[in-house]
């Protein structure tokens, strides 16, 4: 399985920090956000990684290189202008191949997420080993989290591992998902498109599965949240937990 890390966003809410540094290279506890993901992916045996970029993308390539320093093989999908999530995937499909892949938002912090679990999330067979009919099998699998204070309304509900647009309780999409490439057949390479409308479309068809991730997770979308993660007491706690 291959992995994709979204790293093309401008990071407007994190200015002025992102005026001279792409958001995925901002450091949390001494390490760039994107490096946390790379190390976790490699630890799970997912060493083929595609990274899209736009704003200050050359800095990302200079910092990460071909990935050898992390035990990874990194391929880049350069976008002149950021194409959003679905657009970024469509442009990078030739790098991702024809098998399900995991995609991760480059601006989230989830240091303990175990990516080994994503490898079987979209298996073609059911629990009894029988193949799913092509038109009803899950086309995506999402990891949801508890609604953070800045997004209390959530994104989706979850019932028996099936994600729905309506219903209670609500959860927030973590930014980590596994997708079949055909989900993006309607998005042309070079077209700007968000992934949310596609997820909602397939959720209405009952073709999006998911589960709740209960580990540490932060959407590092503002300077304030970045500063909270880097506060001395948080760093001390992290170091203690790592022992």
């Amino acid at each position: 399985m291959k992995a994709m890390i979204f790293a093309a966003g401008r990071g407007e809410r994190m200015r002025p920090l992102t005026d001279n540094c792409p958001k995925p290279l901002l450091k949390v506890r001494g390490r760039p956000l994107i490096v946390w993901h790379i190390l976790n992916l490699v630890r799970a045996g997912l060493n083929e990684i595609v990274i899209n970029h736009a704003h200050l993308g050359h800095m990302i390539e200079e910092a990460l290189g071909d990935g050898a320093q992390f035990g990874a093989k990194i391929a880049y999908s350069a976008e002149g202008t950021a194409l959003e999530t679905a657009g970024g995937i469509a442009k990078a499909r030739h790098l991702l191949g024809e098998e399900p892949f995991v995609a991760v938002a480059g601006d989230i912090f989830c240091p303990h997420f175990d990516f080994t679990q994503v490898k079987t999330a979209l298996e073609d067979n059911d629990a009894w080993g029988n193949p799913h009919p092509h038109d009803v099998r899950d086309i995506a699998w999402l990891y949801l989290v508890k609604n953070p204070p800045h997004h209390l309304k959530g994104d989706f509900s979850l019932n028996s591992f099936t994600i729905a647009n309506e219903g209670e309780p609500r959860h927030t999409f973590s930014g980590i998902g596994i997708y079949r490439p055909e989900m993006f057949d309607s998005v042309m390479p070079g077209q700007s498109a968000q992934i949310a409308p596609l997820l909602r479309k397939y959720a209405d068809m009952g073709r999006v599965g998911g589960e709740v991730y209960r580990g540490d997770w932060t959407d590092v979308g503002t300077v304030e949240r970045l500063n909270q993660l880097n506060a001395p007491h948080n760093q001390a706690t992290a170091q203690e937990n790592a022992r």
Side-chain angles (χ1 to χ4, degrees):
M1 174 180 276
K2 293 185 178 181
M4 181 170 182
I5 303 177
F6 297 119
R10 174 64 177 80
E12 289 289 347
R13 291 179 300 167
M14 299 199 74
R15 298 184 68 183
L17 297 181
T18 52
D19 286 344
N20 300 301
C21 178
K23 183 161 59 169
L25 289 185
L26 293 175
K27 290 186 177 182
V28 172
R29 298 169 186 170
R31 179 181 291 165
L33 274 168
I34 198 167
V35 173
W36 284 98
H37 291 323
I38 293 171
L39 294 175
N40 280 347
L41 288 165
V42 170
R43 190 176 297 116
L46 302 174
N47 66 332
E48 294 187 68
I49 302 171
V50 176
I51 298 174
N52 70 331
H53 63 68
H55 173 63
L56 300 177
H58 67 282
M59 294 181 64
I60 293 176
E61 294 200 25
E62 290 168 1
L64 306 179
D66 62 2
Q69 60 181 311
F70 310 109
K73 300 176 182 177
I74 296 178
Y76 296 97
S77 178
E79 303 170 9
T81 301
L83 299 174
E84 302 289 353
T85 42
I89 289 173
K91 188 177 188 302
R93 276 188 67 172
H94 67 290
L95 299 171
L96 292 166
E98 298 305 317
E99 298 298 320
F101 61 91
V102 59
V104 187
D107 57 356
I108 61 171
F109 180 65
C110 49
H112 307 301
F113 188 87
D114 181 5
F115 280 98
T116 58
Q117 62 190 301
V118 310
K119 299 176 183 179
T120 57
L122 287 183
E123 288 184 329
D124 288 336
N125 296 333
D126 63 20
W128 295 272
N130 301 311
H132 291 294
H134 180 76
D135 59 339
V136 298
R137 65 180 181 174
D138 286 340
I139 201 165
W141 185 274
L142 308 182
Y143 290 91
L144 308 179
V145 295
K146 179 181 178 181
N147 298 330
H150 61 274
H151 191 59
L152 291 175
K153 67 178 182 179
D155 298 308
F156 301 102
S157 64
L158 184 66
N159 182 23
S160 298
F161 300 105
T162 298
I163 281 177
N165 292 312
E166 306 298 332
E168 298 291 340
R170 308 284 291 175
H171 302 281
T172 293
F173 176 36
S174 69
I176 302 174
I178 303 95
Y179 309 102
R180 298 187 189 276
E182 57 264 33
M183 176 177 166
F184 304 93
D185 283 349
S186 62
V187 185
M188 299 301 295
Q191 175 186 348
S192 178
Q194 296 184 352
I195 203 170
L198 288 173
L199 289 174
R200 297 201 177 282
K201 167 189 169 182
Y202 284 106
D204 281 339
M205 297 166 63
R207 294 190 59 194
V208 180
E211 60 189 282
V212 177
Y213 173 65
R214 304 189 186 280
D216 291 341
W217 177 91
T218 302
D219 170 10
V220 192
T222 65
V223 176
E224 290 73 21
R225 283 178 229 152
L226 179 65
N227 289 339
Q228 287 173 2
L229 286 172
N230 285 328
H233 69 278
N234 285 333
Q235 293 199 51
T237 300
Q239 292 170 0
E240 183 65 29
N241 290 338
R243 291 173 183 169

